[in-house]
Amino acid sequence: MSKPTWDDVVDLPDELDDETAEQLYEEADERQDMTGEVCPYPQLEAKKAIQGLGSGDLLVQETDHVPSTENVPKAVEDLADAKVWKSGSGLYRIFLSKK
């Protein structure tokens, strides 16, 4: 299997397979565990982290708070492209690629 790229992350969560999501998560430039956290904390932390990354770097937030899957991408839309993956267990990963 080739190394996953940003293009492997798709808009619809069920289109990203678990193996690719795990590889991208492990290779991310920064990872944030936001499980148990509610808005606006995840948005604030994403903004801070994205500002410290270089263009093309990848930040991944893990969350179990469904509103974060919409609110975090909106909060950083000027700074990063965002895609979301959903596990079968209620865990979400928000992939943010800095512009």
Side-chain angles (χ1 to χ4, degrees), residues 68-83:
S68 288
T69 64
E70 292 181 18
N71 296 334
V72 170
K74 286 179 187 174
V76 300
E77 66 187 352
D78 292 340
L79 303 171
D81 294 315
K83 310 248 178 157

Side-chain angles (χ1 to χ4, degrees), residues 2-49:
S2 63
K3 183 176 178 181
T5 67
W6 176 247
D7 294 327
D8 293 324
V9 181
V10 295
D11 290 318
L12 298 173
D14 59 347
E15 290 187 29
L16 180 61
D17 66 83
D18 294 345
E19 183 178 333
T20 301
E22 187 62 31
Q23 277 189 292
L24 286 171
Y25 180 77
E26 292 300 324
E27 295 172 3
D29 297 286
E30 185 165 340
R31 295 183 296 271
Q32 296 179 331
D33 183 358
M34 293 288 140
T35 52
E37 302 292 345
V38 296
C39 300
Y41 185 69
Q43 292 100 304
L44 298 172
E45 290 301 307
K47 265 192 171 179
K48 284 194 292 188

